[in-house]
Amino acid sequence: MKTDSADALPDDSADDPEVASLLDDLAGADPARLTRHADALLPALLRSLAGVQSSAALAPARRAFGFIGPTAFDAVLAAWRRKELTDWQAGHLLGAFDERCADRYAALAADPHYGTSGHGFMGLVRLRTDSEAGVRALADRYGSGLLMPYKGADYARLMDESFRPRLRTMRRDPAVPARARRGALAALVAGGGTDALDARDRAAIERLIRVKIPHEVPRLPDSTLSGWWMAVPGASYEGVFEALGLHERRPVTVACGVAAAGGRAVQVPGPEREGAARFADRAFVTPELDGWRLVFGSFDTLVGEDWEDMTETVERVSAHCGQAQLFFLDDAGGSDVWMVAEQGRVIRQYAAEGDPEWEGDPLPWETLAVDDEDFDPEYDEAPANAGTTGARSACAYLSADPGAVGPDTAVRGHGWLAVTAPGVGHGAFPGVLPI
């Protein structure tokens, strides 16, 4: 790409009466005049931007650059690289160009510098550019091993349907460099998940997952500030998929499942007869950990929004699995909740939002408030069933403490990644997951 077109332009261009007239009225200038006098106008226009710090003040120049097109693109890029424009100014101006600069945006997208690449992908997304240069930009950037700008992932998603056949072909073409073939694989997954891969690549990913699972040391989400999870017996966990409405489960590593369960919901088309959009999330069911399977995902989707939803969910899951436990922590809001349900009925629960409350008979491992060494029956009062243990301690007695899971945990089987709505598929979710 040319980056020095502005260097050869005369410094005294602003002395030209026509150029001076254009500089005085950039906002109202005729596009044909701007283009006709571009060679003389560009250097003066770039010099006039020194010290400009507001979008409104930059808008007339942005309009002019956009009308001029590729020559102006090269001039802006060259001035930016010479540090005659600030990063903010360059970013604002590089958003001005149309389809005539599509290949220039693609070249920027493949640049090794993160910020430069981001501006390139931003332009490709804005223009919705479908081009061979765009395909190569995605494969080159992913294949480089460098951090992908978030707009690059957006571009992969946006162009998935169009780019998928070409990226698959790139994967199988021996003439394509190995780095680009690796990048094509990552671009396919970023655009449409593993559903975008052909049968050969899907089989390779599945083999890699099976190889990694036995050697993985599980690390579960940290609940230092907030968190929630459910626990069900390892022997009867299969019922959790029906109880929570989970579909299309796939074996995954813990690293993959944790990353996916922490992702955002996606909007997907609703059933044809209804037409309304719906949202879908992913849920992760861990391998068996010291005899228990834990469930992570979106609280709002899998459980609900209020206390009644929590109670109904844990009872429903226990009806399918024999027993179920739910833990909820929100340090900022002061919430600390745990529930145990058996055969469809809550038998014990603890809830603290300010003053703790208990329901059900104390479990054998609980330390009761009346047995605490600081409890003085002459002055203190406590309900007969009042315990002293919150969710972070109770989980270790009841099932498995996520924070303590590690090298000494007895692990059996593998985890499952599932989708919360039928017919959605794993390809609906953006981003590349760790294997």
Side-chain angles (χ1 to χ4, degrees):
M1 178 190 297
K2 290 175 61 180
T3 60
D4 58 354
S5 58
D7 294 340
L9 298 175
D11 289 340
D12 60 352
S13 54
D15 295 336
D16 184 323
E18 186 70 13
V19 172
S21 172
L22 288 170
L23 288 171
D24 287 340
D25 186 24
L26 287 173
D30 177 65
R33 286 182 66 208
L34 291 168
T35 304
R36 187 165 57 249
H37 297 280
D39 288 349
L41 176 63
L42 285 172
L45 187 51
L46 286 166
R47 287 196 300 274
S48 74
L49 300 180
V52 173
Q53 298 180 357
S54 74
S55 300
L58 206 62
R62 192 175 186 274
R63 173 182 181 273
F65 285 131
F67 281 129
I68 294 170
T71 304
F73 189 106
D74 294 342
V76 168
L77 186 58
W80 183 30
R81 288 174 170 165
R82 293 193 304 268
K83 301 191 182 304
E84 295 169 2
L85 292 173
T86 67
D87 290 346
W88 176 83
Q89 288 174 323
H92 202 72
L93 294 173
L94 286 171
F97 299 97
D98 59 21
E99 291 79 2
R100 292 171 294 167
C101 296
D103 285 352
R104 285 169 164 80
Y105 281 126
L108 277 190
D111 192 283
H113 185 269
Y114 180 86
T116 305
S117 177
H119 288 305
F121 280 117
M122 194 173 298
L124 293 175
V125 169
R126 179 171 52 81
L127 297 177
R128 306 179 72 88
T129 299
D130 181 347
S131 68
E132 291 304 316
V135 174
R136 290 194 302 272
L138 275 176
D140 287 348
R141 183 71 192 189
Y142 274 117
S144 70
L146 298 171
L147 181 65
M148 173 63 79
Y150 75 94
K151 280 295 182 181
D154 288 349
Y155 186 52
R157 297 283 301 170
L158 177 67
M159 304 307 297
D160 172 50
E161 184 175 349
S162 174
F163 283 178
R164 187 179 294 190
R166 282 173 277 181
L167 289 168
R168 284 181 173 181
T169 299
M170 189 180 295
R171 285 283 299 149
R172 302 287 166 243
D173 187 349
V176 174
R179 191 179 85 167
R181 293 201 301 273
R182 290 194 302 272
L185 176 65
L188 281 164
V189 174
T194 53
D195 291 353
L197 303 178
D198 62 19
R200 180 174 166 184
D201 275 336
R202 280 199 302 274
I205 294 293
E206 291 167 1
R207 284 195 301 272
L208 181 57
I209 290 172
R210 288 196 297 270
V211 168
K212 294 192 73 169
I213 283 173
H215 307 288
E216 184 183 30
V217 176
R219 303 291 184 198
L220 298 182
D222 185 5
S223 63
T224 299
L225 295 178
S226 65
W228 85 276
W229 67 97
M230 295 188 70
V232 295
S236 56
Y237 83 97
E238 289 279 353
V240 79
F241 296 100
E242 181 178 351
L244 293 179
L246 303 179
H247 307 268
E248 301 183 52
R249 57 176 170 168
R250 293 182 178 179
V252 292
T253 61
V254 173
C256 175
V258 168
R264 296 180 179 179
V266 295
Q267 186 171 338
V268 296
E272 289 185 8
R273 64 178 180 274
E274 298 177 9
R278 55 183 173 150
F279 287 89
D281 279 291
R282 289 177 290 193
F284 174 50
V285 180
T286 70
E288 188 174 307
L289 307 170
D290 290 336
W292 295 84
R293 298 260 184 168
L294 308 188
V295 182
F296 296 90
S298 166
F299 183 84
D300 289 347
T301 301
L302 296 176
V303 180
E305 299 180 353
D306 53 33
W307 181 261
E308 288 75 17
D309 292 332
M310 296 172 71
T311 303
E312 191 277 330
T313 299
V314 73
E315 289 184 335
R316 173 164 31 89
V317 174
S318 76
H320 284 77
C321 300
Q323 186 183 120
Q325 303 156 13
L326 186 147
F327 305 89
F328 179 87
L329 293 156
D330 179 4
D331 293 340
S335 295
D336 187 337
V337 177
W338 58 266
M339 298 181 178
V340 179
E342 292 183 352
Q343 305 301 329
R345 181 177 66 87
V346 169
I347 63 169
R348 181 63 163 160
Q349 66 186 30
Y350 167 95
E353 288 187 351
D355 294 331
E357 296 180 0
W358 301 262
E359 289 189 18
D361 295 331
L363 299 173
W365 52 267
E366 288 187 67
T367 300
L368 298 183
V370 295
D371 296 329
D372 190 276
E373 60 182 15
D374 295 325
F375 184 84
D376 187 338
E378 185 175 350
Y379 299 102
D380 298 328
E381 294 183 2
N385 66 348
T388 60
T389 302
R392 285 193 173 90
S393 298
C395 62
Y397 292 101
L398 287 165
S399 49
D401 177 0
V405 169
D408 297 329
T409 303
V411 181
R412 182 171 177 268
H414 59 74
W416 295 99
L417 184 63
V419 182
T420 63
V424 172
H426 291 264
F429 298 88
V432 179
L433 295 172
I435 295 178

